[in-house]
Amino acid sequence: MQTMAIIGAQWGDEGKGKITDLLAEKSDLVVRYQGGHNAGHTIWVDGKKTVLHVIPSGVLHPHCTSVIGHGVVLEPENFLFELNRIKNVTKVTPDNLKVSETATVITSYHKLLDAARESQGTEKIGTTCKGIGPAYEDKIARRAVKVKDLFDKDILTRRLAVGYSEKAMLFKNLYQVEFPSIEEEVERLYKFGQSMEDYVCDTFSLIDNSLSRGKRVLYEGAQGILLDVDYGTYPYVTSSSTSASGIYNGAGIPNHKLEEVIGVAKAYTTRVGEGPFPTELFDEIGNTIQVKGNEIGATTGRKRRCGWLDIPLLRYAIKCSQLTSIALTKLDILSDLSELKICYAYEVDGKKVDCAYPGINLYNAKPLFKSFKPFKDDFTGKNSAELDQYMSFIQETLGIPVSIYAYGPDRNQIVFKKNLF
Ligand code: GDP
Ligand code: IMO
Ligand code: MG
């Protein structure tokens, strides 16, 4: 197998980083194609924790080239900070880390706008306040700064000037916040651009050449399908294409198709930020999962909302991204609970619905649960019958195999059910 994708099948934080790190061992390229440093991907190796935000989760394998594709929105200061931090952990050089010259730059104005809208706007999304939405707005409106613009002060000034007066009007008159002048922002970004230049290239050609030489390419999604700007629970979504289609827009698979699309799902469900969540738990069990699962966002430190596994949402995710198998994570967190349930369908206006199609108002969806005998596995020996029943139900109701399951954060706490790569 030459091409594979790791996609979040829920609302993010499913454990994509861990799965990507493991599969990167046998990959030549690991490619991020959307999102930015709103992502937080945690990897544990021999008890040592690494959190990545915009650098791909293959970076802990120096043989592997980490690629930040053109669909990513990149905040140069944060990127350089992360790069310096990761250099203490692993060998990263311009030979094994590449940034697309046409990735969109997140500027100070985007961060200020995101924060002002969240604190003063009429509808709070619960964003990470990293400037993601405003940067994508500028990209679509054709007024963004691209990474290659960072290397020439005149070009950078011209690009920042597009749309500046509109932003200045909002900062001065509507939000009443301080903001940098174009000259100040040019100086700031140019300086970061100089430190980044060696890493920047045409990543599309790199991927094309690698694929034509038979190299293995692993695409790493950020966020999850239910946060996709088109497929997700709009408006409570992020501003990029988090589903597999984002790969075609944000990096490219020249002359090839995706051979395996792994949807990563927790054995339960979590969500950070606002928006509907049919199986959300507000009781002691929800609290236990939150605490035991350490369900705290790696980027913002917010508590994640927790609930039972939601099959209708996963069925929808499978259809949106043509998932070929599921990587089921955090099974250990469900071990030894006093009760165990899976939502297999919803009741909506008196009718049973088994897929969370976009036409369904999720606020009105009453989850229908099947109860399971709780399992008490510590995953050191053979699986209990109860654990097997829980996993078989998931596999059968979803209609695609569970190719991987994980029972702890560390690299070795995992079982591969299918020979991948
Ligand atoms: P990502 O954004 O999808 O990469 O996921 P995050 O890294 O934000 O959140 C997943 C969290 O669960 C991280 O802290 C991981 O270390 C941890 N994790 C991943 N798989 C497992 C697992 O099977 N069991 C446990 N207990 N933790 C896991
Ligand atoms: P990873 O890659 C979980 C959520 C935010 C908010 C919404 C919009 O670690 O799975 P944004 O800042 O993107 O405009 O915020 O999306 N969100 C995430 N939730 N995991 C993530 O990334 C997320 N990235 C954004 O909480 O609800
Ligand atoms: Mg995360």
PDB file of all heavy atoms in Angstrom, residues 13-18 40-42 44 298 304 329-333 406-409, ligand 1:
ATOM      1  N   ASP A  13      -9.492  15.166  18.458  1.00  0.00           N
ATOM      2  CA  ASP A  13      -8.842  14.589  19.633  1.00  0.00           C
ATOM      3  C   ASP A  13      -9.103  13.087  19.783  1.00  0.00           C
ATOM      4  O   ASP A  13      -9.156  12.560  20.898  1.00  0.00           O
ATOM      5  CB  ASP A  13      -9.291  15.310  20.921  1.00  0.00           C
ATOM      6  CG  ASP A  13      -8.985  16.791  20.862  1.00  0.00           C
ATOM      7  OD1 ASP A  13      -7.963  17.147  20.261  1.00  0.00           O
ATOM      8  OD2 ASP A  13      -9.777  17.585  21.424  1.00  0.00           O
ATOM      9  N   GLU A  14      -9.236  12.402  18.669  1.00  0.00           N
ATOM     10  CA  GLU A  14      -9.545  10.969  18.707  1.00  0.00           C
ATOM     11  C   GLU A  14      -8.296  10.126  18.960  1.00  0.00           C
ATOM     12  O   GLU A  14      -8.391   8.926  19.235  1.00  0.00           O
ATOM     13  CB  GLU A  14     -10.168  10.530  17.361  1.00  0.00           C
ATOM     14  CG  GLU A  14     -11.474  11.223  16.997  1.00  0.00           C
ATOM     15  CD  GLU A  14     -11.249  12.500  16.175  1.00  0.00           C
ATOM     16  OE1 GLU A  14     -10.083  12.969  16.119  1.00  0.00           O
ATOM     17  OE2 GLU A  14     -12.207  13.024  15.613  1.00  0.00           O
ATOM     18  N   GLY A  15      -7.125  10.752  18.809  1.00  0.00           N
ATOM     19  CA  GLY A  15      -5.872  10.003  18.954  1.00  0.00           C
ATOM     20  C   GLY A  15      -5.159   9.877  17.611  1.00  0.00           C
ATOM     21  O   GLY A  15      -4.359   8.954  17.403  1.00  0.00           O
ATOM     22  N   LYS A  16      -5.422  10.816  16.712  1.00  0.00           N
ATOM     23  CA  LYS A  16      -4.802  10.779  15.369  1.00  0.00           C
ATOM     24  C   LYS A  16      -3.282  10.819  15.456  1.00  0.00           C
ATOM     25  O   LYS A  16      -2.582  10.143  14.715  1.00  0.00           O
ATOM     26  CB  LYS A  16      -5.277  11.988  14.526  1.00  0.00           C
ATOM     27  CG  LYS A  16      -6.776  12.030  14.301  1.00  0.00           C
ATOM     28  CD  LYS A  16      -7.186  13.294  13.567  1.00  0.00           C
ATOM     29  CE  LYS A  16      -7.042  14.567  14.376  1.00  0.00           C
ATOM     30  NZ  LYS A  16      -7.929  14.699  15.528  1.00  0.00           N
ATOM     31  N   GLY A  17      -2.768  11.646  16.397  1.00  0.00           N
ATOM     32  CA  GLY A  17      -1.320  11.808  16.536  1.00  0.00           C
ATOM     33  C   GLY A  17      -0.662  10.481  16.852  1.00  0.00           C
ATOM     34  O   GLY A  17       0.344  10.106  16.234  1.00  0.00           O
ATOM     35  N   LYS A  18      -1.240   9.752  17.786  1.00  0.00           N
ATOM     36  CA  LYS A  18      -0.657   8.468  18.179  1.00  0.00           C
ATOM     37  C   LYS A  18      -0.654   7.487  17.001  1.00  0.00           C
ATOM     38  O   LYS A  18       0.352   6.824  16.733  1.00  0.00           O
ATOM     39  CB  LYS A  18      -1.464   7.868  19.350  1.00  0.00           C
ATOM     40  CG  LYS A  18      -1.070   6.449  19.665  1.00  0.00           C
ATOM     41  CD  LYS A  18      -1.839   5.830  20.801  1.00  0.00           C
ATOM     42  CE  LYS A  18      -1.574   4.333  20.780  1.00  0.00           C
ATOM     43  NZ  LYS A  18      -1.222   3.778  22.054  1.00  0.00           N
ATOM     44  N   GLY A  40      -3.965  19.809  18.265  1.00  0.00           N
ATOM     45  CA  GLY A  40      -3.031  19.413  19.329  1.00  0.00           C
ATOM     46  C   GLY A  40      -2.925  17.901  19.276  1.00  0.00           C
ATOM     47  O   GLY A  40      -3.893  17.200  19.594  1.00  0.00           O
ATOM     48  N   HIS A  41      -1.815  17.385  18.809  1.00  0.00           N
ATOM     49  CA  HIS A  41      -1.644  15.940  18.641  1.00  0.00           C
ATOM     50  C   HIS A  41      -0.590  15.440  19.626  1.00  0.00           C
ATOM     51  O   HIS A  41       0.575  15.821  19.557  1.00  0.00           O
ATOM     52  CB  HIS A  41      -1.242  15.627  17.193  1.00  0.00           C
ATOM     53  CG  HIS A  41      -2.273  16.055  16.185  1.00  0.00           C
ATOM     54  ND1 HIS A  41      -2.078  16.021  14.842  1.00  0.00           N
ATOM     55  CD2 HIS A  41      -3.533  16.525  16.354  1.00  0.00           C
ATOM     56  CE1 HIS A  41      -3.170  16.447  14.222  1.00  0.00           C
ATOM     57  NE2 HIS A  41      -4.060  16.772  15.121  1.00  0.00           N
ATOM     58  N   THR A  42      -1.033  14.598  20.537  1.00  0.00           N
ATOM     59  CA  THR A  42      -0.155  14.139  21.627  1.00  0.00           C
ATOM     60  C   THR A  42       0.409  12.757  21.324  1.00  0.00           C
ATOM     61  O   THR A  42      -0.336  11.852  20.961  1.00  0.00           O
ATOM     62  CB  THR A  42      -0.963  14.072  22.944  1.00  0.00           C
ATOM     63  OG1 THR A  42      -1.687  15.287  23.073  1.00  0.00           O
ATOM     64  CG2 THR A  42      -0.056  13.868  24.145  1.00  0.00           C
ATOM     65  N   TRP A  44       3.051   9.788  22.977  1.00  0.00           N
ATOM     66  CA  TRP A  44       3.879   9.332  24.106  1.00  0.00           C
ATOM     67  C   TRP A  44       4.834   8.269  23.616  1.00  0.00           C
ATOM     68  O   TRP A  44       4.417   7.297  22.992  1.00  0.00           O
ATOM     69  CB  TRP A  44       2.991   8.717  25.201  1.00  0.00           C
ATOM     70  CG  TRP A  44       2.215   9.713  26.002  1.00  0.00           C
ATOM     71  CD1 TRP A  44       0.985  10.210  25.688  1.00  0.00           C
ATOM     72  CD2 TRP A  44       2.594  10.319  27.249  1.00  0.00           C
ATOM     73  NE1 TRP A  44       0.576  11.103  26.658  1.00  0.00           N
ATOM     74  CE2 TRP A  44       1.543  11.183  27.636  1.00  0.00           C
ATOM     75  CE3 TRP A  44       3.727  10.219  28.066  1.00  0.00           C
ATOM     76  CZ2 TRP A  44       1.587  11.934  28.787  1.00  0.00           C
ATOM     77  CZ3 TRP A  44       3.764  10.964  29.232  1.00  0.00           C
ATOM     78  CH2 TRP A  44       2.703  11.817  29.585  1.00  0.00           C
ATOM     79  N   ALA A 298      -5.483  19.730  24.319  1.00  0.00           N
ATOM     80  CA  ALA A 298      -4.020  19.937  24.318  1.00  0.00           C
ATOM     81  C   ALA A 298      -3.654  21.344  23.855  1.00  0.00           C
ATOM     82  O   ALA A 298      -2.568  21.829  24.137  1.00  0.00           O
ATOM     83  CB  ALA A 298      -3.359  18.898  23.408  1.00  0.00           C
ATOM     84  N   ARG A 304     -12.901  18.683  27.889  1.00  0.00           N
ATOM     85  CA  ARG A 304     -13.699  18.174  26.775  1.00  0.00           C
ATOM     86  C   ARG A 304     -15.016  17.624  27.312  1.00  0.00           C
ATOM     87  O   ARG A 304     -15.025  16.957  28.355  1.00  0.00           O
ATOM     88  CB  ARG A 304     -12.949  17.061  26.043  1.00  0.00           C
ATOM     89  CG  ARG A 304     -11.665  17.544  25.383  1.00  0.00           C
ATOM     90  CD  ARG A 304     -10.917  16.377  24.727  1.00  0.00           C
ATOM     91  NE  ARG A 304      -9.615  16.812  24.238  1.00  0.00           N
ATOM     92  CZ  ARG A 304      -8.508  16.076  24.326  1.00  0.00           C
ATOM     93  NH1 ARG A 304      -8.523  14.891  24.878  1.00  0.00           N
ATOM     94  NH2 ARG A 304      -7.364  16.548  23.860  1.00  0.00           N
ATOM     95  N   THR A 329      -9.755   4.037  19.677  1.00  0.00           N
ATOM     96  CA  THR A 329      -8.780   4.378  20.721  1.00  0.00           C
ATOM     97  C   THR A 329      -9.448   4.495  22.094  1.00  0.00           C
ATOM     98  O   THR A 329     -10.666   4.566  22.202  1.00  0.00           O
ATOM     99  CB  THR A 329      -8.077   5.716  20.400  1.00  0.00           C
ATOM    100  OG1 THR A 329      -9.068   6.727  20.349  1.00  0.00           O
ATOM    101  CG2 THR A 329      -7.326   5.663  19.082  1.00  0.00           C
ATOM    102  N   LYS A 330      -8.622   4.519  23.094  1.00  0.00           N
ATOM    103  CA  LYS A 330      -9.023   4.792  24.486  1.00  0.00           C
ATOM    104  C   LYS A 330     -10.007   3.780  25.056  1.00  0.00           C
ATOM    105  O   LYS A 330     -10.830   4.113  25.910  1.00  0.00           O
ATOM    106  CB  LYS A 330      -9.540   6.223  24.607  1.00  0.00           C
ATOM    107  CG  LYS A 330      -8.480   7.255  24.208  1.00  0.00           C
ATOM    108  CD  LYS A 330      -8.787   8.644  24.646  1.00  0.00           C
ATOM    109  CE  LYS A 330      -8.002   9.081  25.843  1.00  0.00           C
ATOM    110  NZ  LYS A 330      -8.009  10.497  26.127  1.00  0.00           N
ATOM    111  N   LEU A 331      -9.902   2.523  24.597  1.00  0.00           N
ATOM    112  CA  LEU A 331     -10.761   1.478  25.155  1.00  0.00           C
ATOM    113  C   LEU A 331     -10.506   1.301  26.647  1.00  0.00           C
ATOM    114  O   LEU A 331     -11.406   0.994  27.421  1.00  0.00           O
ATOM    115  CB  LEU A 331     -10.497   0.152  24.434  1.00  0.00           C
ATOM    116  CG  LEU A 331     -11.290  -0.047  23.144  1.00  0.00           C
ATOM    117  CD1 LEU A 331     -10.658  -1.111  22.293  1.00  0.00           C
ATOM    118  CD2 LEU A 331     -12.749  -0.386  23.434  1.00  0.00           C
ATOM    119  N   ASP A 332      -9.245   1.535  27.044  1.00  0.00           N
ATOM    120  CA  ASP A 332      -8.879   1.367  28.458  1.00  0.00           C
ATOM    121  C   ASP A 332      -9.702   2.284  29.374  1.00  0.00           C
ATOM    122  O   ASP A 332      -9.963   1.944  30.524  1.00  0.00           O
ATOM    123  CB  ASP A 332      -7.377   1.643  28.664  1.00  0.00           C
ATOM    124  CG  ASP A 332      -6.945   2.975  28.069  1.00  0.00           C
ATOM    125  OD1 ASP A 332      -7.286   3.249  26.901  1.00  0.00           O
ATOM    126  OD2 ASP A 332      -6.277   3.760  28.780  1.00  0.00           O
ATOM    127  N   ILE A 333     -10.125   3.421  28.858  1.00  0.00           N
ATOM    128  CA  ILE A 333     -10.863   4.378  29.701  1.00  0.00           C
ATOM    129  C   ILE A 333     -12.244   3.821  30.060  1.00  0.00           C
ATOM    130  O   ILE A 333     -12.800   4.134  31.120  1.00  0.00           O
ATOM    131  CB  ILE A 333     -10.989   5.753  28.981  1.00  0.00           C
ATOM    132  CG1 ILE A 333      -9.618   6.276  28.566  1.00  0.00           C
ATOM    133  CG2 ILE A 333     -11.747   6.775  29.826  1.00  0.00           C
ATOM    134  CD1 ILE A 333      -8.590   6.381  29.694  1.00  0.00           C
ATOM    135  N   ALA A 406      -6.560   0.742  20.362  1.00  0.00           N
ATOM    136  CA  ALA A 406      -5.540   1.233  21.297  1.00  0.00           C
ATOM    137  C   ALA A 406      -6.094   1.213  22.710  1.00  0.00           C
ATOM    138  O   ALA A 406      -7.284   1.459  22.931  1.00  0.00           O
ATOM    139  CB  ALA A 406      -5.122   2.647  20.912  1.00  0.00           C
ATOM    140  N   TYR A 407      -5.224   0.913  23.653  1.00  0.00           N
ATOM    141  CA  TYR A 407      -5.678   0.795  25.043  1.00  0.00           C
ATOM    142  C   TYR A 407      -4.761   1.559  26.001  1.00  0.00           C
ATOM    143  O   TYR A 407      -4.686   1.269  27.181  1.00  0.00           O
ATOM    144  CB  TYR A 407      -5.804  -0.682  25.446  1.00  0.00           C
ATOM    145  CG  TYR A 407      -4.551  -1.487  25.188  1.00  0.00           C
ATOM    146  CD1 TYR A 407      -3.551  -1.588  26.143  1.00  0.00           C
ATOM    147  CD2 TYR A 407      -4.360  -2.130  23.966  1.00  0.00           C
ATOM    148  CE1 TYR A 407      -2.392  -2.304  25.905  1.00  0.00           C
ATOM    149  CE2 TYR A 407      -3.212  -2.858  23.713  1.00  0.00           C
ATOM    150  CZ  TYR A 407      -2.230  -2.938  24.692  1.00  0.00           C
ATOM    151  OH  TYR A 407      -1.079  -3.648  24.443  1.00  0.00           O
ATOM    152  N   GLY A 408      -4.057   2.543  25.477  1.00  0.00           N
ATOM    153  CA  GLY A 408      -3.189   3.363  26.316  1.00  0.00           C
ATOM    154  C   GLY A 408      -2.470   4.352  25.423  1.00  0.00           C
ATOM    155  O   GLY A 408      -2.418   4.164  24.200  1.00  0.00           O
ATOM    156  N   PRO A 409      -1.903   5.423  25.999  1.00  0.00           N
ATOM    157  CA  PRO A 409      -1.289   6.449  25.154  1.00  0.00           C
ATOM    158  C   PRO A 409       0.048   6.058  24.538  1.00  0.00           C
ATOM    159  O   PRO A 409       0.452   6.632  23.529  1.00  0.00           O
ATOM    160  CB  PRO A 409      -1.111   7.630  26.119  1.00  0.00           C
ATOM    161  CG  PRO A 409      -1.152   7.048  27.494  1.00  0.00           C
ATOM    162  CD  PRO A 409      -1.963   5.792  27.415  1.00  0.00           C
TER     163      PRO A 409
HETATM  164  P1  GDP B   1      -5.529  13.988  18.299  1.00  0.00           P
HETATM  165  O1  GDP B   1      -5.780  15.446  18.274  1.00  0.00           O
HETATM  166  O2  GDP B   1      -6.546  13.206  17.521  1.00  0.00           O
HETATM  167  O3  GDP B   1      -4.128  13.604  17.912  1.00  0.00           O
HETATM  168  O4  GDP B   1      -5.726  13.529  19.804  1.00  0.00           O
HETATM  169  P2  GDP B   1      -5.127  14.271  21.102  1.00  0.00           P
HETATM  170  O5  GDP B   1      -3.688  13.992  21.161  1.00  0.00           O
HETATM  171  O6  GDP B   1      -5.576  15.675  21.140  1.00  0.00           O
HETATM  172  O7  GDP B   1      -5.957  13.553  22.235  1.00  0.00           O
HETATM  173  C1  GDP B   1      -5.889  12.169  22.428  1.00  0.00           C
HETATM  174  C2  GDP B   1      -5.321  11.917  23.834  1.00  0.00           C
HETATM  175  O8  GDP B   1      -5.527  10.558  24.157  1.00  0.00           O
HETATM  176  C3  GDP B   1      -3.836  12.143  23.929  1.00  0.00           C
HETATM  177  O9  GDP B   1      -3.536  12.625  25.215  1.00  0.00           O
HETATM  178  C4  GDP B   1      -3.250  10.741  23.730  1.00  0.00           C
HETATM  179  O10 GDP B   1      -1.993  10.575  24.390  1.00  0.00           O
HETATM  180  C5  GDP B   1      -4.279   9.903  24.380  1.00  0.00           C
HETATM  181  N1  GDP B   1      -4.478   8.557  23.831  1.00  0.00           N
HETATM  182  C6  GDP B   1      -4.439   8.154  22.535  1.00  0.00           C
HETATM  183  N2  GDP B   1      -4.814   6.858  22.458  1.00  0.00           N
HETATM  184  C7  GDP B   1      -5.072   6.453  23.724  1.00  0.00           C
HETATM  185  C8  GDP B   1      -5.543   5.230  24.296  1.00  0.00           C
HETATM  186  O11 GDP B   1      -5.818   4.245  23.604  1.00  0.00           O
HETATM  187  N3  GDP B   1      -5.716   5.218  25.659  1.00  0.00           N
HETATM  188  C9  GDP B   1      -5.452   6.306  26.446  1.00  0.00           C
HETATM  189  N4  GDP B   1      -5.654   6.204  27.752  1.00  0.00           N
HETATM  190  N5  GDP B   1      -5.013   7.467  25.936  1.00  0.00           N
HETATM  191  C10 GDP B   1      -4.842   7.530  24.589  1.00  0.00           C
END
